[in-house]
């Protein structure tokens, strides 16, 4: 999909908080703290959707971190974080784009999985797609918003995240970068502490959950590579089963183990991280809280770049990682700039 085609589809329709883009591929059948999403994206690829991916465009994986803990009136069963992971066609680069669950989105018509009611297309927050239609509706919504085909998806909850971190012996990470000349404090986090650390709004002096997540993700990949946990077929299969649990996702274990091997070959300098550009808070709507509106032009450029299988940071490299990034300004950064020194 060309950038011109994407931009031409960005004219708002009446009553729509954020204009949507046409999906390039077929929809799926059948946002946890951000930490869950990150680690899950590194470990496994998820459930294959109908039809093979287009090799010239790489592979797009939608990762859905879900919170299935009991809540007042029943289980939450909601999406806490979402990420679009792009593995290049040459399998030598991984791009991770965060999609805020508070994003204003246009949900297509669907049957509500909670009530069985048929619901017409309407504007709501992106996280609502999972609550009302599970992974299938979330994939359809993200495809429409980004113009990208989602080739695979993965949904993982809090419990499986903490179990996966424990299985690899914890993840050593460090917090926000200290003043020049000082060394950041390293910490080895087990599953439970890792989840609390990444979901905290006040850790590292309020350095920001997005940046904290990105650093944790890079450090997790380095630990998995150092311990050769992604290339051991038995260990990789056990890790995949831990992350996936017993949920019916339509996944193929062999495919997940193969992806683990691909990730093992990608150095931190060949990973890049970004958030979809946003421009403002959209007004609250009845039945939905306030949402953030994407910056249509910059988002179109970002997803056109991924659609062409190009790097988000470019040959010249990326901007320095700020702590925290300013609202609406999350420039793409390379993983090498985020790793513990």
């Amino acid at each position: 999909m060309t950038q011109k085609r994407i931009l031409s589809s960005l004219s708002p329709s009446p009553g729509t908080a954020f204009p949507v883009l046409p999906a390039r591929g077929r929809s799926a059948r059948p946002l946890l703290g951000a930490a869950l999403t990150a680690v899950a994206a590194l470990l496994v690829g998820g459930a294959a959707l109908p039809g093979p991916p287009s090799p010239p465009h790489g592979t797009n994986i939608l990762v859905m971190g879900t919170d299935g803990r009991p809540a007042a009136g029943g289980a939450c069963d909601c999406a806490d974080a979402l990420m679009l992971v792009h593995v290049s066609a040459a399998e030598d680069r991984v791009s991770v784009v965060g999609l805020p669950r508070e994003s204003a989105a246009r949900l297509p018509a669907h049957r509500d999985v909670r009530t069985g009611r048929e619901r017409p297309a309407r504007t709501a927050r992106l996280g609502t797609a999972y609550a009302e239609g599970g992974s299938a509706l979330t994939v359809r919504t993200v495809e429409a918003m980004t113009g990208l085909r989602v080739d695979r998806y993965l949904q993982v909850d809090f419990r499986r995240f903490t179990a996966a971190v424990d299985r690899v012996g914890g993840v050593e990470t460090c917090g926000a970068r200290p003043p020049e000349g000082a060394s950041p404090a390293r910490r080895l986090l087990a599953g439970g502490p890792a989840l609390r650390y990444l979901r905290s709004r006040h850790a590292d002096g309020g350095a920001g959950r997005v940046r904290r997540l990105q650093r944790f993700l890079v450090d997790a990949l380095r630990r998995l590579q150092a311990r050769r946990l992604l290339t051991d077929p038995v260990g990789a299969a056990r890790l995949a089963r831990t992350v996936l649990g017993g949920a019916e996702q339509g996944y193929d274990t062999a495919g997940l183990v193969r992806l683990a091997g691909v990730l093992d070959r990608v150095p931190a300098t060949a990973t890049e991280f970004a958030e979809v550009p946003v421009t403002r808070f959209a007004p609250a709507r009845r039945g939905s809280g306030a949402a953030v509106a994407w910056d249509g032009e910059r988002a179109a450029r970002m997803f056109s770049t991924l659609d062409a299988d190009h790097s988000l940071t470019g040959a010249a490299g990326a901007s320095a990682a700020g702590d925290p990034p300013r609202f609406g300004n999350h420039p793409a950064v390379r993983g090498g700039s985020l790793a513990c020194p």
Side-chain angles (χ1 to χ4, degrees):
M1 176 177 292
T2 65
Q3 181 176 337
K4 181 177 180 181
R5 179 181 170 190
I6 292 179
L7 288 172
S8 68
S9 66
L10 288 176
S11 55
S13 57
T16 303
F18 177 73
V20 300
L21 311 178
R24 175 167 62 86
R26 287 176 286 179
S27 61
R29 296 176 187 170
L31 60 332
L32 147 207
L36 164 61
T37 303
V39 174
L42 279 173
L43 301 181
V44 292
L49 297 176
S54 302
H57 297 280
T59 303
N60 297 316
I61 305 163
L62 180 62
V63 183
M64 294 166 275
T66 61
D67 184 359
R69 297 172 302 173
C76 170
D77 197 26
C78 51
D80 191 78
L82 299 109
M83 282 190 171
L84 189 64
V85 180
H86 177 82
V87 181
S88 67
E91 298 181 340
D92 60 355
R93 184 182 66 254
V94 175
S95 307
V96 182
V97 178
L99 308 176
R101 63 179 179 179
E102 300 88 1
S103 300
R106 184 73 174 173
L107 306 187
H110 61 278
R111 181 187 295 272
D112 193 317
V113 295
R114 303 167 302 181
T115 65
R117 288 177 48 203
E118 294 290 341
R119 301 186 69 109
R122 76 184 198 283
T123 298
R125 297 204 298 184
L126 179 56
T128 305
Y130 186 85
E132 294 187 0
S135 57
L137 182 61
T138 306
V139 167
R140 291 172 58 198
T141 303
V142 169
E143 284 188 331
M145 294 178 71
T146 64
L148 298 175
R149 172 185 173 128
V150 174
D151 302 296
R152 297 179 179 271
Y153 72 90
L154 174 71
Q155 50 181 334
V156 188
D157 62 20
F158 282 153
R159 178 179 55 81
R160 282 178 276 166
F161 165 74
T162 57
V165 174
D166 287 338
R167 179 170 285 280
V168 302
V171 172
E172 185 179 50
T173 189
C174 49
R177 293 187 180 277
E180 186 175 356
S183 298
R186 291 174 176 265
R187 66 199 86 183
L188 181 64
L189 299 177
L195 183 62
R196 292 191 294 272
Y197 170 68
L198 287 166
R199 299 192 77 235
S200 171
R201 298 189 181 277
H202 306 290
D204 293 336
R209 296 174 72 182
V210 171
R211 190 66 75 222
R212 202 180 310 139
L213 155 66
Q214 294 169 347
R215 288 202 169 99
F216 185 88
L217 179 54
V218 172
D219 292 331
L221 178 58
R222 289 178 61 179
R223 183 169 180 82
L224 291 167
Q225 291 171 334
R227 300 188 64 185
R228 301 186 182 279
L229 294 173
L230 296 175
T231 54
D232 171 24
V234 175
R238 287 175 177 168
L239 190 54
R241 287 194 292 270
T242 299
V243 173
L244 292 166
E248 290 293 333
Q249 299 203 69
Y251 61 88
D252 177 83
T253 302
L256 304 184
V257 172
R258 180 187 178 281
L259 180 60
V262 171
L263 293 170
D264 185 71
R265 299 192 298 272
V266 178
T269 53
T271 62
E272 51 188 14
F273 301 85
E275 283 277 294
V276 65
V278 299
T279 183
R280 60 183 172 81
F281 282 100
R285 304 177 65 89
R286 184 176 182 181
S288 177
V292 291
W294 291 4
D295 183 312
E297 186 173 353
R298 289 195 295 157
R301 286 199 301 268
M302 172 179 284
F303 295 121
S304 289
T305 299
L306 292 181
D307 192 47
D309 199 30
H310 294 160
S311 168
L312 294 175
T313 55
S319 305
D323 282 318
R326 298 191 308 274
F327 175 79
N329 182 23
H330 291 254
V333 296
R334 290 186 179 173
S337 69
L338 298 170
C340 284

